Amino acid sequence: MSTEQQSASNPEQLRRVVIDPVTRVEGHGKVTLLLDEDNHVKQARLHIVEFRGFERFIQGRPYWELPLLVQRLCGICPVSHHLAAGKAIDQLVGVDQLTPSADKLRRLLHFGQVLQSHALHFYYLASPDLLFGFDSAMSKRNILGLLEDYPDLALQGIKLRKFGQEVIRMVTGKRIHGSGAIPGGMNKSLTVEERDYLLKDVDDAINWSQAGVKLASDIHLADAAFNNTFASIESGFMSLVGSGGELELYHGGLRGTDRAGNSVFDHFDYRHYHDIIHEEVKPWTYMKFPFFVPLGMDDGWYRVGPLARINLCDVITTPAAEQARFAFKNQAGHEAGAAVQSSLAFHWARMIEILHCAESIKTLLHDPDLLGNDLVVTGEKQLEGIGVIEAPRGTLFHHYEINEDDIVVKANLIVSTTSNNQAMNESVRQVAARYLDGQQLTEGLLNYIEVAIRAYDPCLSCATHALGKMPLQVELLDADGQLLHRLVKNSQGEVRE
């Protein structure tokens, strides 16, 4: 029996420590630690405690509303949901191939989204830990502390994020929750003025991105022994790759490996994802646990996101980012050819992707197809559509079924953070066991747990989906606030007083 199973059987004998909320992440989550009398960690879990249920909200709506509806899942990565839904509804209207103009507009939009989201995470949320120290003063560990001590770096991050947001605004009309993707294409092209507006800052964005890659790599390599072992776990990985194995953020086939680096599937058609990925539900969280079917629940969990993508791709098609990938894969103290397993290496990989996005945006802005007006194609109606995209945080699945009246009757979303769920829990347990076990807990030590979670850049609001029954507690109070009666329903639907 595992330590966690033992502790679960007698939790009343243990002390409970709660980190609530986990800070500097999108959405609301908490961590619980169960400690014995000597402060030894017996259980560590990441809980997602908010419930939203978009998979049910969108049932009963006409399919063409989906790209606008689902982006309300999040204010940080709305474009990712917008485009994943857009790809799914393309299939519903029988379209497999967009016009060159529509395809490149979507790709431009997606590169802007990944760039701004990565910049937000690295500069605003993660770099204070990396620059000031995990247990530094709380007053320093934020963007204001960064502006005070590293003003040039902070402003660079702010400007880089702004550039990504401006790309989104030029394509969709708004920085957040704009419109672009429609069934079979896009609703507008770029104007010459919009293109030129972005071109005037794109070289700066590339320079800022290169500086960001250097900063992330310098931080990681300054103490490689620590950074390669902190929250490091052995896992499989999954991402989209292009037909030649290149890094592909918008469209491609699925590539998955086990924790030893062996191929589980490659160039797999994502429209059949349900044959290789299943999801497990646990009663103590609203986030599900996906796994590779061929490996089973115990061995089949995996990671997605920048670390997975840089590990799994064979090449990056933009030159500066490819050079950065080569350095990442050949870093000091890392076995040549093996996957980088360090959770903190997510930050370095994230900055390589920012550079790739900036380079790709420049290339696209010089493509005359962005100004074209041939934007929509049509086909024969289908009743099922599956859209998959590489969101900033990893592979994102949108799966819809409609009826003959064009109404959504079923929806399933596997969000990037959901795929990282087991890995985040494993990282939390590793950090708790290594750095907190037997120690007198302090705020600085507890931040080690949060650092491990923040490495994954989780979007907890996006990932709050559940099956089964929702836990509920109802209390009846009198006019003086005295408790008269309480009923509690657990996640299995059992009711007790």
Side-chain angles (χ1 to χ4, degrees):
M1 181 180 292
S2 70
T3 301
E4 182 154 322
Q5 288 172 322
Q6 290 174 348
S7 65
S9 63
N10 57 354
E12 67 281 352
Q13 300 176 17
L14 301 172
R15 181 165 63 96
R16 186 169 182 261
V17 175
V18 180
I19 304 172
D20 185 11
V22 175
T23 59
R24 281 184 279 142
V25 298
E26 203 289 319
H28 191 94
K30 69 177 182 181
V31 171
T32 58
L33 306 173
L34 295 182
L35 311 176
D36 67 14
E37 58 185 10
D38 296 317
N39 285 335
H40 294 303
V41 179
K42 297 301 182 181
Q43 183 186 90
R45 284 177 172 173
L46 169 65
H47 306 260
I48 309 306
V49 296
E50 58 182 341
F51 180 78
R52 303 180 74 197
F54 261 75
E55 291 161 320
R56 294 303 297 271
F57 295 163
I58 57 182
Q59 290 183 29
R61 307 301 304 176
Y63 71 82
W64 54 82
E65 292 183 354
L66 291 174
L68 294 179
L69 288 176
V70 296
Q71 64 178 343
R72 263 63 183 185
L73 270 162
C74 183
I76 304 299
C77 48
V79 169
S80 301
H81 292 290
H82 181 74
L83 290 176
K87 292 179 72 174
I89 66 172
D90 291 341
Q91 294 177 32
L92 293 177
V93 297
V95 173
D96 291 323
Q97 182 64 51
L98 302 180
T99 68
S101 292
D103 180 76
K104 291 171 185 177
L105 281 165
R106 286 193 186 183
R107 288 176 181 273
L108 178 66
L109 175 60
H110 189 43
F111 287 133
Q113 162 63 23
V114 175
L115 190 153
Q116 73 87 18
S117 179
H118 280 355
L120 170 65
H121 179 73
F122 182 77
Y123 290 100
Y124 289 62
L125 307 181
S127 65
D129 293 318
L130 304 176
L131 293 170
F132 295 124
F134 299 174
D135 55 358
S136 58
M138 289 181 64
S139 59
K140 285 289 186 185
R141 296 197 311 261
N142 51 63
I143 187 61
L144 296 180
L146 204 67
L147 280 165
E148 183 177 350
D149 285 27
Y150 299 92
D152 293 341
L153 176 65
L155 288 173
Q156 175 181 298
I158 292 170
K159 291 177 181 178
L160 191 56
R161 185 185 182 217
K162 180 184 177 183
F163 176 75
Q165 290 179 311
E166 288 298 278
V167 171
I168 295 170
R169 185 171 73 88
M170 291 300 102
V171 178
T172 69
K174 297 171 61 178
R175 293 187 182 95
I176 301 174
H177 299 154
S179 64
I182 58 176
M186 291 288 285
N187 62 8
K188 81 172 191 70
S189 60
L190 282 190
T191 65
V192 172
E193 293 75 19
E194 289 167 338
R195 181 202 61 188
D196 292 347
Y197 172 76
L198 295 174
L199 275 172
K200 68 181 178 65
D201 290 328
V202 71
D203 287 327
D204 285 337
I206 292 173
N207 291 334
W208 297 329
S209 300
Q210 288 179 308
V213 172
K214 185 179 186 304
L215 173 63
S217 62
D218 286 350
I219 290 173
H220 195 92
L221 295 177
D223 192 353
F226 174 82
N227 291 321
N228 282 330
T229 56
F230 179 85
S232 181
I233 57 176
E234 298 290 318
S235 78
F237 293 99
M238 183 182 72
S239 75
L240 293 176
V241 293
S243 59
E246 68 273 17
L247 176 67
E248 179 55 68
L249 298 177
Y250 178 73
H251 187 70
L254 291 171
R255 173 176 286 178
T257 59
D258 65 16
R259 63 188 63 181
N262 302 310
S263 177
V264 181
F265 46 85
D266 199 10
H267 296 287
F268 189 85
D269 186 342
Y270 62 67
R271 291 173 295 183
H272 304 291
Y273 77 94
H274 44 271
D275 292 334
I276 57 170
I277 298 174
H278 287 178
E279 299 173 272
E280 182 185 10
V281 177
K282 296 185 180 181
W284 43 271
T285 179
Y286 285 130
M287 190 155 58
K288 294 180 281 190
F289 291 81
F291 60 92
F292 294 154
V293 173
L295 301 181
M297 288 187 296
D298 292 337
D299 297 320
W301 55 273
Y302 56 92
R303 286 189 278 183
V304 298
L307 183 62
R309 292 189 289 252
I310 302 302
N311 270 324
L312 292 180
C313 73
D314 300 322
V315 66
I316 298 178
T317 54
T318 55
E322 170 59 11
Q323 185 178 3
R325 182 193 73 89
F326 186 81
F328 176 85
K329 293 289 287 184
N330 291 277
Q331 60 178 285
H334 177 254
E335 183 181 346
V340 177
Q341 294 281 2
S342 165
S343 297
L344 288 181
F346 265 101
H347 300 303
W348 188 353
R350 195 169 283 120
M351 298 311 291
I352 295 172
E353 289 191 339
I354 277 188
L355 178 55
H356 171 61
C357 289
E359 289 184 288
S360 299
I361 288 169
K362 181 175 181 179
T363 299
L364 281 171
L365 289 175
H366 285 97
D367 192 320
D369 282 336
L370 289 182
L371 307 179
N373 292 315
D374 184 12
L375 297 177
V376 180
V377 289
T378 58
E380 186 175 344
K381 176 182 171 181
Q382 307 293 319
L383 298 181
E384 183 178 35
I386 298 171
V388 177
I389 201 168
E390 283 295 330
R393 293 152 182 84
T395 319
L396 171 64
F397 296 79
H398 278 232
H399 182 179
Y400 306 115
E401 294 180 17
I402 64 172
N403 61 20
E404 292 290 349
D405 296 322
D406 297 336
I407 300 300
V408 178
V409 295
K410 183 178 180 181
N412 184 50
L413 278 61
I414 303 180
V415 179
S416 316
T417 299
T418 307
S419 288
N420 282 329
N421 191 10
Q422 183 68 36
M424 288 190 293
N425 273 277
E426 294 292 335
S427 292
V428 165
R429 282 193 279 272
Q430 193 258 33
V431 170
R434 184 165 184 174
Y435 298 99
L436 276 65
D437 192 70
Q439 302 297 314
Q440 185 65 40
L441 297 185
T442 64
E443 186 281 329
L445 276 177
L446 292 178
N447 189 50
Y448 277 54
I449 294 281
E450 297 193 56
V451 169
I453 296 169
R454 279 193 289 269
Y456 292 87
D457 186 18
C459 186
L460 306 180
S461 296
C462 293
T464 56
H465 311 286
L467 297 174
K469 301 176 176 61
M470 185 177 181
L472 183 67
Q473 177 173 302
V474 178
E475 294 181 346
L476 176 63
L477 307 178
D478 64 17
D480 297 322
Q482 299 299 310
L483 179 65
L484 300 178
H485 194 61
R486 176 192 291 120
L487 286 178
V488 178
K489 182 179 72 173
N490 64 22
S491 60
Q492 306 304 313
E494 300 164 340
V495 178
R496 60 178 176 81
E497 294 190 10

